[in-house]
Amino acid sequence: MRTKEETLLVHTDRLLLSGREYRGTSRIDGPLVYMRNTHPVGYGELVEITAPDGTHRSGQVLETSDEVVVVQVFEGTEGLNLPGTGMRFMGEPLTLPVSEQMLGRVMNGLGKSRDGSTIPQGAVEKDVNGQPINPTAREYPRDFIQTGISVIDGMTTLIQGQKVPIFSGNGLDHNKLAAQIARQAKVRGSSGDFCIVFAAMGVKHDVAKYFIDSFEESGVLDNVALFLSLADDPSIERTITPKTALTLAEHLAFDKGKQVLVIMTDMTNYCEALREIGTMRGEIPSRKGYPGYLYSNLAELYERSGKILGRGGSITQLPILTMPNDDISHPVPDLTGYITEGQIVFDRSMQARGIYPPINCLPSLSRLMKDGIGEGMTRGDHPHLANQLFASYSHVKDVQNLASVIGEEELTSLDKQYLEFGNFFENKFVNQSFTEDRSIEQTLDIGWEALSKLPSEELQRLSDDEIAEHYGK
Amino acid sequence: MKDRIVGQVKRVNGPVILIKDVTDAAMMEMVRIGEQQLIGEVVKLHDGSATVQVYEDATGICPGDNVYGSGMSLSVELGPGLIGTIYDGIQRPLEKLMGVSGAYISRGVTFPALDHEKKWPFVPTVEVGANLTRGMVLGEVLETERVMHKIMVPPSIDECVVANIVGEGSYTVEDIIATVVLPDGREEKLTMTQRWPIRVPRPVHDRLPLAQPLITGLRVIDSLFPLAKGGTVAIPGGFGTGKTMTQHSIAQWCDADIIVYIGCGERGNEMTDVLREFPQLIDPRTGQSLMERTLLIANTSNMPVSAREASIYTGITMAEYYRDQGYHVAIMADSTSRWAEALRELSGRMEEMPAEEGFPAYLPTRIAQFYERAGLMQSLSGETGSVSIIGAVSPPGGDFSEPVTQHTKRFVRCFWGLDRSLASSRHFPAISWIDSYTEYLAEVQPWWSQHSEGTWQINRQKIMELLQKEVRLQQIVKLVGPDALPDSQNFILEVCTLFKTAFLQQDAFSEIDRFCSVGKQVRMLDLILEYYQRGSDAIAKGVPMVKIRRLKVIQEIARMRLTIENEDLAAFDKLQLRLERSIDQLGGIYED
Ligand SMILES: Nc1ncnc2c1ncn2[C@@H]1O[C@H](COP(=O)(O)OP(=O)(O)OP(=O)(O)O)[C@@H](O)[C@H]1O
Ligand SMILES: [Mg+2]
């Protein structure tokens, strides 16, 4: 047992010892390096690693004890060896110096320059792990974002400060959609200060290039901060990239009052990198080998969106993930859906039929739209109209199934009308071009045009007044 | 608190910390770790070392850091002022924390759960010399407009005599309001607060048989799958199927006296939504704000995982405390799966042997212990109160065969299964009439019988039978199309479709429809069955079904949930009359 004086001494020692370099590690395993005989090192501390060739890398303490410290190295362990690797434990968590000047720059997953140019160092250092927002300090998001895309604005309305992922599959048009949203999104009647934070995890160079080109074309590149950790970068770097990006986003939104759109792609790669570390450490996995804490881990990212009372700004998150095998029950989309405030779900068969954006609105959802649409926000008939379109379109699916068994000719005349409605809905309402920017009124009017293919007594989710005003007009 | 050092940190693995050189720490003792004073709890003792679970982010904790003992188990503070407050999983008042640490929750901050300055109007109900036993009431405080808070002898005092009690007046929760003498002559001073360890059920006199339904205002629940006051129910469903919305609705409109809402590992904005919405909603039964009966616990998904594990117990302990005062309490736990996952994560970090899907082998025991804390009880003071548990379950991939859903099913008696396909077609609440069940029918039947002129049970059975028939008929239709069925059977499909849109669906966003009174439910079901009866008769007489379904009155029935006010039962008489006339008229045409 130690006395108080001794305790104090230990703390002073620790302060003095942080930053001191140790050489020679005891084990290297994947992205993990084990170090013995250090001073007591804190959980989660930032580590600076010196490779045998003299270059520096950074890492974080994953586990600490009085015998051994486990460090994950964000740039990977390639080129490290046991005797020649040095480590400094910095006595503080991993931080990012943030500043507005990071907008317009291309950085790696740790916020360092990718092209050798210097990144302006901000005066404010922020812990990249963030801290949970006190629910009483949140402001409930309710400002409607017009994306100009009917199926989103009409059916799964985006709200400023919401987190909505795109559930896609390999080869589908998710990048195109994200680029279109980034270009067209606006809150009507507000001249807010917009910017974009873009985080790429494990995606190919051409995907990153696609986004950069598209930002450039729409003239917003100066307002975009890019954090790229691409397919050929060490996979471990992907685990820190979204945190770095969100740390800057928080600064821009909650210290500078900006409306920040965060695009993160591809979350599946992020989760796979986490799985890699978990497996390496011999952790007990849960479903499909993913760590049991994947839900909490993802929540720590996704919950860093929203609005805070009295701060002006907002963080809207648009994570993109590819569902392995298009399987929505795969742990990555599944756990994501349990955390985010809705989802936009892509459908391969719609893309095959040439529909862009290939969004199936039935499994898609916006949980926050209830407070952001209607009279004074979009239009009075919007809530019921959306509801009716959902109900009718879902009936179309039943009719299509039936038709595939008994043949279209055998359908009742009412069911045939439903098929006609369904065609119109998919080809005129959902389908639009990459450059088409529809106003919410246009969107709703096309919705009514679709419903006019059905007899009015089928429209039970709409009130008589709404039908009188809009039906068949 | 900083005086008693019980050991030093040896190893840190996330929220699980190993302590060495342990002297006198006790199991379940609350401890503080390091100079940051992070809150933790001893969960294992093994010669000379202890495992501690930390309730805050462990960043920065070092081997060698001191661990300080508190001498107490992790417990909650109980007394006036709980209602209307929002706490985190270990009962720290979030609004107060915001005052100290701003918009983000920082570590090592503590605050007493109750406001220690606020004065409450205390009225004694016993006199000097009164003999009291544990749990008996010695005074009352009007906590909110609708809740009379009973101040009780703490369960730790078996028997005592009141030596002194203050007169009517204003006191803080720290003021001494009574001095009692124990049988051994010792004196004990009582305040309006007591502490209780969260993992231990509060004692009661007796468990009583259940008898009354918990009226939720949701038709599919009340009329088809009722829950009893003191009962337990699970709501499993994949993401976005409506667990939270259903629980919000019940928390808003059910006829419990007190609501404990636990946001366990879910979204921050959902709690903000409750905080924003509840104070503005008026309880139709009392005319008062719904916040006047609601306690909130928010341990959102990004808050520390061990505190998530504790939040469930914190909530149920507070619920039991109000039950002991003679209130009917309903707990919403959203979501118990996140709690189970917290158990799994902690267990994994403690390197315990996993059972199914990585969950610890004691998962079923923990689930059972939690649900066993529900019930209708006679309290120590003789009052009758209940705790009903409504637990959301979030099965991975929406697959109900996973361990948490399966084990929960073993220990609850009511099951409201949410159906993804209903949710996609925006049929809300998406409670499946096929997967759901209730074992409380026998218990609540007498009550319903009284409130429905005896028709409830038989009507419920009739409609359930129709719904079963519909499933079979649908299968036929899927193979050969609707034309293959005779009108009499097609009409069953027609009535079931109407029943779904007109009765089972309920719009949480409609002022009129979001809550449905018992009277309205009874009349609506009556009317739909009446339609079935008269329609079938007419079809038997040769009236074609299309003619019947096109009747204008059917449109009105389809919208009655949205158009007819809860108390306006006369409107149903008119509707019924119109239905009868319309069908009779049709029948008349075809008769000759
Ligand atoms: N009774 C209802 N009335 C109208 N809409 C509803 C109703 N229930 C659910 N919804 C719709 O479904 C959405 C999802 O519901 P909810 O948030 O309750 O799902 P959940 O099961 O709790 O999902 P998760 O597991 O992801 O938390 C809501 O945002 C709302 O749009
Ligand atoms: Mg929910």
Side-chain angles (χ1 to χ4, degrees):
Chain A
M1 177 74 47
R2 263 195 254 117
T3 64
K4 283 217 160 151
E5 290 66 44
E6 279 169 342
T7 308
L8 200 68
L9 220 64
V10 169
H11 277 271
T12 330
D13 278 359
R14 195 179 294 160
L15 223 63
L16 294 174
L17 289 170
S18 62
R20 170 188 161 167
E21 176 151 68
Y22 296 93
R23 274 206 171 265
T25 66
S26 63
R27 182 177 157 201
I28 301 177
D29 187 356
L32 306 180
V33 179
Y34 295 69
M35 189 98 180
R36 291 182 176 276
N37 303 321
T38 63
H39 67 271
V41 171
Y43 178 75
E45 257 183 43
L46 170 65
V47 188
E48 197 184 288
I49 297 116
T50 314
D53 63 3
T55 57
H56 294 293
R57 302 182 192 184
S58 42
Q60 191 181 16
V61 174
L62 266 195
E63 183 175 331
T64 174
S65 71
D66 47 11
E67 286 155 11
V68 62
V69 179
V70 185
V71 175
Q72 59 172 345
V73 184
F74 293 123
E75 291 94 339
T77 49
E78 214 177 86
L80 299 187
N81 60 25
L82 294 183
T85 302
M87 270 192 196
R88 286 176 211 275
F89 298 96
M90 308 308 280
E92 54 179 35
L94 182 58
T95 56
L96 178 74
V98 288
S99 82
E100 268 177 279
Q101 275 80 50
M102 290 167 99
L103 288 171
R105 309 305 293 249
V106 183
M107 291 156 281
N108 72 3
L110 289 152
K112 302 203 173 106
S113 158
R114 258 188 92 87
D115 51 10
S117 69
T118 48
I119 297 294
Q121 291 288 302
V124 200
E125 294 251 346
K126 291 205 160 212
D127 181 350
V128 296
N129 291 305
Q131 282 176 318
I133 301 177
N134 188 326
T136 56
R138 281 184 184 271
E139 183 181 331
Y140 196 78
R142 50 186 316 161
D143 295 327
F144 157 64
I145 298 181
Q146 180 177 302
T147 64
I149 298 160
S150 289
V151 58
I152 296 181
D153 292 350
M155 312 293 282
T156 50
T157 319
L158 207 58
I159 302 293
Q160 199 164 63
Q162 186 173 16
K163 40 185 181 290
V164 189
I166 299 177
F167 287 1
S168 184
N170 291 316
L172 298 185
D173 279 339
H174 44 266
N175 295 329
K176 200 169 155 188
L177 179 71
Q180 189 176 6
I181 293 177
R183 172 161 42 85
Q184 296 181 174
K186 54 182 149 306
V187 172
R188 295 208 301 187
S190 119
S191 50
D193 192 357
F194 287 99
C195 62
I196 295 173
V197 172
F198 179 81
M201 287 87 68
V203 299
K204 294 189 219 78
H205 280 266
D206 49 351
V207 172
K209 186 167 180 313
Y210 173 81
F211 276 102
I212 295 175
D213 290 349
S214 118
F215 293 142
E216 189 155 26
E217 260 165 47
S218 41
V220 295
L221 195 54
D222 286 345
N223 246 331
V224 185
L226 295 109
F227 295 87
L228 306 182
S229 165
L230 301 179
D232 52 2
D233 292 324
S235 69
I236 178 99
E237 189 183 322
R238 293 167 203 166
T239 62
I240 197 78
T241 310
K243 296 187 181 176
T244 318
L246 287 166
T247 305
L248 176 64
E250 277 172 349
H251 173 67
L252 297 172
F254 304 133
D255 298 337
K256 300 289 171 198
K258 289 178 187 288
Q259 313 306 332
V260 188
L261 175 67
V262 181
I263 300 173
M264 306 193 281
T265 182
D266 176 332
M267 292 308 290
T268 306
N269 295 337
Y270 168 82
C271 296
E272 275 168 6
L274 283 183
R275 175 167 70 177
E276 227 173 287
I277 301 170
T279 317
M280 211 77 76
R281 298 186 60 202
E283 291 169 349
I284 300 159
S286 68
R287 277 205 313 152
K288 297 220 159 132
Y290 287 93
Y293 48 78
L294 185 59
Y295 174 83
S296 307
N297 191 293
L298 285 171
E300 279 165 21
L301 302 179
Y302 296 142
E303 280 288 316
R304 290 171 82 170
S305 57
K307 296 177 83 172
I308 293 181
L309 284 168
R311 298 281 179 99
S314 65
I315 296 181
T316 308
Q317 279 189 25
L318 199 64
I320 299 172
L321 59 88
T322 45
M323 302 182 278
N325 269 328
D326 291 349
D327 175 10
I328 196 167
S329 69
H330 181 279
V332 177
D334 190 50
L335 294 177
T336 298
Y338 271 121
I339 303 163
T340 52
E341 286 147 347
Q343 64 275 343
I344 292 170
V345 184
F346 273 36
D347 184 332
R348 197 168 290 278
S349 76
M350 287 176 77
Q351 177 144 339
R353 274 178 284 144
I355 298 169
Y356 171 84
I359 296 174
N360 182 354
C361 65
L362 295 177
S364 301
L365 170 70
S366 163
R367 293 162 193 263
L368 299 185
M369 78 188 272
K370 65 183 167 78
D371 289 290
I373 63 169
E375 194 64 57
M377 291 169 288
T378 52
R379 204 167 77 185
D381 56 318
H382 189 173
H384 288 168
L385 175 67
N387 216 322
Q388 185 65 59
L389 287 169
F390 276 123
S392 302
Y393 185 57
S394 117
H395 188 67
V396 169
K397 295 279 161 184
D398 294 339
V399 176
Q400 281 170 347
N401 286 339
L402 184 60
S404 68
V405 180
I406 63 170
E408 221 171 277
E409 318 74 54
E410 296 294 312
L411 295 175
T412 61
S413 65
L414 178 62
D415 280 351
K416 284 182 188 146
Q417 282 177 292
Y418 267 102
L419 286 188
E420 201 187 326
F421 157 77
N423 273 334
F424 188 94
F425 180 78
E426 288 183 356
N427 293 310
K428 294 285 174 2
F429 183 85
V430 177
N431 191 31
Q432 69 184 81
S433 86
F434 176 63
T435 48
E436 193 176 352
D437 188 356
R438 294 182 188 158
S439 74
I440 182 68
E441 289 78 12
Q442 278 173 305
T443 290
L444 297 178
D445 290 344
I446 303 173
W448 276 105
E449 211 180 317
L451 286 180
S452 302
K453 309 275 170 211
L454 295 173
S456 68
E457 65 264 20
E458 285 295 303
L459 311 181
Q460 285 163 353
R461 314 254 175 141
L462 290 155
S463 73
D464 290 336
D465 292 346
E466 286 161 340
I467 292 177
E469 191 177 339
H470 298 283
Y471 179 76
K473 296 289 152 66
Chain B
M1 171 130 229
K2 283 187 76 168
D3 302 325
R4 196 171 132 253
I5 297 175
V6 295
Q8 266 100 35
V9 173
K10 177 174 167 62
R11 176 178 164 207
V12 190
N13 181 2
V16 171
I17 295 185
L18 192 67
I19 315 286
K20 63 180 177 186
D21 301 336
V22 173
T23 48
D24 62 345
M27 258 316 255
M28 301 300 159
E29 181 173 349
M30 196 173 112
V31 294
R32 298 235 165 211
I33 301 130
E35 299 321 296
Q36 291 162 309
Q37 295 279 297
L38 305 187
I39 303 171
E41 183 185 8
V42 178
V43 292
K44 252 181 212 169
L45 284 171
H46 26 106
D47 40 40
S49 62
T51 307
V52 164
Q53 146 179 339
V54 209
Y55 290 115
E56 302 179 71
D57 174 15
T59 301
I61 298 184
C62 271
D65 278 352
N66 278 331
V67 178
Y68 304 91
S70 71
M72 281 195 299
S73 333
L74 188 65
S75 52
V76 286
E77 200 174 46
L78 302 167
L82 291 172
I83 292 182
T85 312
I86 176 165
Y87 293 107
D88 77 349
I90 49 173
Q91 215 202 8
R92 292 186 300 180
L94 285 170
E95 264 158 337
K96 293 278 170 54
L97 287 192
M98 184 162 77
V100 191
S101 70
Y104 294 93
I105 301 175
S106 45
R107 303 179 304 151
V109 195
T110 38
F111 235 99
L114 299 174
D115 186 338
H116 284 209
E117 258 106 68
K118 178 162 180 169
K119 292 205 176 222
W120 295 97
F122 174 79
V123 183
T125 53
V126 294
E127 285 168 6
V128 172
N131 275 307
L132 296 178
T133 52
R134 60 184 196 150
M136 282 177 77
V137 176
L138 48 98
E140 293 179 335
V141 167
L142 192 65
E143 182 174 1
T144 69
E145 286 296 321
R146 59 177 291 167
V147 178
M148 183 58 88
H149 193 113
K150 313 267 170 59
I151 307 296
M152 298 171 289
V153 177
S156 55
I157 298 179
D158 275 338
E159 233 184 290
C160 63
V161 176
V162 178
N164 195 359
I165 184 156
V166 295
E168 194 175 327
S170 292
Y171 305 91
T172 70
V173 292
E174 278 182 318
D175 290 338
I176 290 164
I177 47 150
T179 310
V180 295
V181 183
L182 308 184
D184 62 4
R186 273 188 304 129
E187 276 194 355
E188 190 119 3
K189 299 196 182 318
L190 302 183
T191 64
M192 288 192 268
T193 49
Q194 42 178 283
R195 292 198 74 88
W196 190 262
I198 60 171
R199 299 185 195 277
V200 183
R202 284 175 61 89
V204 292
H205 183 67
D206 211 359
R207 193 178 269 272
L208 304 171
L210 311 185
Q212 271 186 29
L214 181 84
I215 297 298
T216 63
L218 293 178
R219 288 181 292 268
V220 55
I221 293 177
D222 294 342
S223 290
L224 297 191
F225 307 105
L227 173 67
K229 286 206 175 82
T232 49
V233 60
I235 316 182
F239 61 80
T241 50
K243 297 176 292 296
T244 305
M245 289 286 291
T246 307
Q247 288 192 319
H248 275 200
S249 278
I250 298 175
Q252 286 166 357
W253 309 117
C254 81
D255 67 347
D257 303 310
I258 308 277
I259 303 292
V260 176
Y261 194 99
I262 312 171
C264 172
E266 293 290 312
R267 302 173 184 83
N269 273 329
E270 288 173 350
M271 296 314 289
T272 313
D273 196 19
V274 174
L275 280 174
R276 178 186 66 120
E277 199 178 6
F278 276 41
Q280 285 161 22
L281 293 174
I282 301 299
D283 184 346
R285 293 185 193 82
T286 60
Q288 264 130 29
S289 150
L290 282 169
M291 210 57 194
E292 305 250 301
R293 64 164 192 182
T294 310
L295 284 97
L296 298 171
I297 295 171
N299 214 95
T300 55
S301 54
N302 55 340
M303 282 156 77
V305 64
S306 342
R308 188 193 302 167
E309 189 268 334
S311 65
I312 290 281
Y313 298 103
T314 299
I316 194 138
T317 308
M318 301 203 278
E320 286 174 341
Y321 175 66
Y322 281 95
R323 171 205 66 197
D324 291 346
Q325 299 172 35
Y327 290 114
H328 293 292
V329 187
I331 294 195
M332 315 294 140
D334 187 13
S335 153
T336 60
S337 292
R338 306 299 165 220
W339 164 68
E341 284 163 12
L343 282 180
R344 172 171 72 187
E345 180 171 345
L346 295 166
S347 156
R349 297 210 190 241
M350 286 186 250
E351 288 162 6
E352 294 171 338
M353 270 295 283
E356 310 148 87
E357 297 195 11
F359 285 105
Y362 48 78
L363 174 72
T365 322
R366 295 284 170 88
I367 295 178
Q369 283 167 347
F370 171 62
Y371 283 105
E372 270 308 291
R373 290 176 77 168
L376 180 71
M377 310 288 189
Q378 186 175 27
S379 75
L380 295 172
S381 62
E383 305 262 12
T384 305
S386 68
V387 172
S388 312
I389 302 182
I390 296 148
V393 181
S394 317
D399 173 6
F400 291 179
S401 67
E402 58 89 41
V404 181
T405 317
Q406 282 308 313
H407 290 304
T408 304
K409 246 179 148 165
R410 290 166 54 198
F411 307 117
V412 297
R413 291 183 54 205
C414 193
F415 189 83
W416 300 329
L418 298 178
D419 185 300
R420 155 99 34 222
S421 63
L422 290 179
S424 316
S425 60
R426 269 55 177 180
H427 171 117
F428 288 121
I431 296 176
S432 157
W433 50 92
I434 307 293
D435 295 339
S436 305
Y437 61 79
T438 176
E439 291 174 15
Y440 296 113
L441 281 184
E443 276 108 324
V444 304
Q445 197 267 322
W447 186 95
W448 268 104
S449 191
Q450 256 175 30
H451 289 78
S452 64
E453 294 168 9
T455 60
W456 183 73
Q457 197 184 17
I458 183 88
N459 278 355
R460 178 183 181 277
Q461 203 169 340
K462 275 189 197 157
I463 199 72
M464 289 301 282
E465 273 165 19
L466 283 182
L467 291 169
Q468 299 295 334
K469 272 192 202 149
E470 190 217 7
V471 176
R472 280 199 304 278
L473 292 175
Q474 286 288 9
Q475 282 162 351
I476 300 176
V477 170
K478 280 204 181 104
L479 289 176
V480 290
D483 288 346
L485 293 181
D487 262 9
S488 61
Q489 296 197 330
N490 255 328
F491 189 55
I492 295 183
L493 295 181
E494 200 52 44
V495 171
C496 286
T497 306
L498 181 71
F499 180 66
K500 288 178 219 164
T501 42
F503 188 93
L504 291 181
Q505 286 189 24
Q506 211 167 331
D507 186 351
F509 308 128
S510 148
E511 289 265 338
I512 294 183
D513 196 31
R514 61 189 178 185
F515 163 80
C516 188
S517 70
V518 168
K520 182 171 164 185
Q521 296 191 29
V522 169
R523 295 304 303 270
M524 285 173 72
L525 184 52
D526 267 348
L527 199 58
I528 290 169
L529 287 171
E530 179 81 24
Y531 170 50
Y532 174 62
Q533 199 51 55
R534 287 185 180 264
S536 298
D537 292 349
I539 288 169
K541 282 186 204 146
V543 180
M545 188 194 81
V546 272
K547 295 272 179 198
I548 302 179
R549 67 175 295 227
R550 289 234 181 96
L551 289 174
K552 181 95 179 50
V553 65
I554 306 306
Q555 296 295 315
E556 287 173 48
I557 293 179
R559 290 211 186 96
M560 64 187 165
R561 62 186 174 99
L562 299 163
T563 50
I564 302 182
E565 303 266 358
N566 270 317
E567 308 315 325
D568 185 15
L569 299 185
F572 287 102
D573 295 334
K574 286 188 211 138
L575 205 51
Q576 175 143 8
L577 211 63
R578 262 209 299 287
L579 176 71
E580 284 167 17
R581 278 214 205 107
S582 312
I583 296 187
D584 283 351
Q585 244 168 25
L586 262 186
I589 300 173
Y590 282 84
E591 210 126 27
D592 23 36

